[in-house]
Structures are given as C-alpha cells and as structure tokens.
Amino acid sequence: MMSALTQLFRDAQAPLLMPYAVGGYPDPEACLDIVGTYARSGAGLIEIGIPFSDPLADGPVIQAASQVALRKGVRPIDVLEIAGRAAADGASVVLLSYLNTILAFGQDRFFDVCQDRGVLGVVVPDLPVEEAAELQDVARAREVDVVLLAAPTSTDARLARIAAAASGFIYCVSTTGVTGARAELRSDLSEFVSRIRRQTDLPLAVGFGVSTIAQVVEVGSFADGVIVGSALVDMVARSDAQDEALDKVATYVSEAAAALKGGRT
C-alpha cells in the first residue's frame, strides 16, 4: 500500500517545494512561526531538523543554527511538538534526525510520537541502507517512512539496493560534502536523478546546495521535490527581527512555489 508521504507527491500537480527549518531556531515559538509561514506561502512538504551536536552532513549555516537551538535547551521532544503543531494546522511535515538521536530517545517511543504528531517521515542522513531494516520496520508499523539518501558517487548497484529498500521518497543528495548554498549545481545532476529513476517509481527529491529560484526551477524540471535549507536558515540568521525574517522567507517560498508550478507542464 502506498504510504501517505508517497501519496502526497503523487497527488501534487507540480514538484513539491520542501523548505527546511532547524527545529527550535531561533527559538521554539519563532520556529513554529517560520514553519507556519512556509506552509501558508506554498510549501508542499516541510522538513524540520532536530538539532544535533555532531551533524556530519550539515554545513556551517545549519550547524550554527543548531548550536543556538541546543544552547537554548531545545530537545528532540520540543521539535516533535513543533512538528505536531504544524501538522495540526494542516502542514505536511517530515523530520530530519541523526540516528543517535532516535536511538537515545528510544526508537519505538520516537516513532510512536511521530505517528501521534502526524509526522509523515524521517530523513536519517547517517543511516546506511545496509543497517536500515530494523528502524524501517519500527517506523513502518507506525505508518511513518524512514527516508533514505542517495549520493551522486553511488554505483548503480548501490542505487538499486537503496531503491529496493526505500519508502516514502528518496532524498537525492545533489553534491558531495555538506549542506550549504552553492553558486552552481552539478552539471550531471539531472543524469544522477535519472540513474535513480531507472531503479524506482518512488518520488525523488533533491537537496543540498539548492538556493536560488533559478536553481529551484532547474531541479524541478527533473525531480519530484526540491529541498531548500541553508538559504532559508541564513535568511533568518541575517534578519534583525522576527518580522523581517518571516517577510523574507514568505517572499522566497511563495516565489519558488509559484515558479515550480509554472516550470513544468
């Protein structure tokens, strides 16, 4: 049976814009306002990251925001509450969590809370496909998808293995290295996505490095979802007040969502 997360992509009339927020940044209530602004401005699916002290896949912008949240005492349960409040208001939400956070929380309890709060899936960037089955079984029993990542350096054999194990959607990492805005996307990015698409009919979302509206449109021409993270977190970090931050992210998300709707016929 198709999961609710996969169905969300299937029902969309255009590639989903997937803005990212660091959970609890700049503080929990402000984060909830940011996530709500994403939803009202046209986001199709919102990704909320649980701050972690050793985020191997995160670049400097998201690392800095995560450290702010951690210093303010933001815990995984606080991020789950933010996700739940956003979902209750009608937003579609996935989380990003490193594996250690889930294990420390207790994987059964973690996915129980995800299910209760309406979280559709959890992206786990440090979970290799070879070690994913147990966590996926726990999550699937709660109707939550564990989202696997695929990197452009992966062989076709490895992509086939990821595709066979994946559910919800596959997170296609646009570049090697960590998150962060890039001036240019890889010239072979569309071919990388095509390599994965030959292995699966699951939706494919591209993240890492997507920042400008032009890049959003480019990625939307061959992907089912476009994830924008560091560029939005940086807008918040560079704003002098919360109202300014909300105005900036609202403008970006509404323009990007509209561009995606107009970019594919």
Side-chain angles (χ1 to χ4, degrees), residues 22-27 51 62-74:
V22 174
Y25 176 78
D27 60 64
I62 292 177
Q63 280 194 33
S66 295
Q67 289 302 316
V68 170
L70 290 170
R71 284 197 299 269
K72 291 185 176 181
V74 172

Side-chain angles (χ1 to χ4, degrees), residues 141-190:
R142 279 86 173 167
E143 300 181 330
V144 178
D145 288 306
V146 170
V147 177
L148 301 179
L149 287 77
T153 52
S154 298
T155 64
D156 286 344
R158 183 165 183 81
L159 292 179
R161 185 168 185 176
I162 292 168
S167 66
F169 69 92
I170 296 176
Y171 190 126
C172 307
V173 178
S174 72
T175 186
T176 56
V178 298
T179 61
R182 304 289 200 279
E184 295 181 353
L185 299 174
R186 290 176 65 107
S187 60
D188 61 350
L189 181 56
S190 64

Side-chain angles (χ1 to χ4, degrees), residues 14-16 172 193 197 204-206 218-226 260 264:
L16 296 181
C172 307
V193 173
R197 203 175 292 283
L204 306 178
V206 172
E218 178 183 347
V219 172
S221 68
F222 52 79
D224 306 298
V226 186
L260 282 174
R264 181 185 290 183

Side-chain angles (χ1 to χ4, degrees), residues 157-259:
R158 183 165 183 81
L159 292 179
R161 185 168 185 176
I162 292 168
S167 66
F169 69 92
I170 296 176
Y171 190 126
C172 307
V173 178
S174 72
T175 186
T176 56
V178 298
T179 61
R182 304 289 200 279
E184 295 181 353
L185 299 174
R186 290 176 65 107
S187 60
D188 61 350
L189 181 56
S190 64
E191 172 54 27
F192 165 52
V193 173
S194 295
R195 287 173 59 212
I196 305 174
R197 203 175 292 283
R198 289 193 286 269
Q199 306 280 5
T200 183
D201 61 358
L202 281 175
L204 306 178
V206 172
F208 281 50
V210 182
S211 58
T212 68
I213 302 294
Q215 289 171 344
V216 169
V217 173
E218 178 183 347
V219 172
S221 68
F222 52 79
D224 306 298
V226 186
I227 303 161
V228 181
S230 295
L232 288 165
V233 175
D234 193 47
M235 287 179 199
V236 176
R238 292 177 180 274
S239 297
D240 294 325
Q242 177 72 351
D243 286 347
E244 179 187 349
L246 295 178
D247 286 344
K248 286 180 179 179
V249 300
T251 298
Y252 181 97
V253 171
S254 61
E255 290 182 359

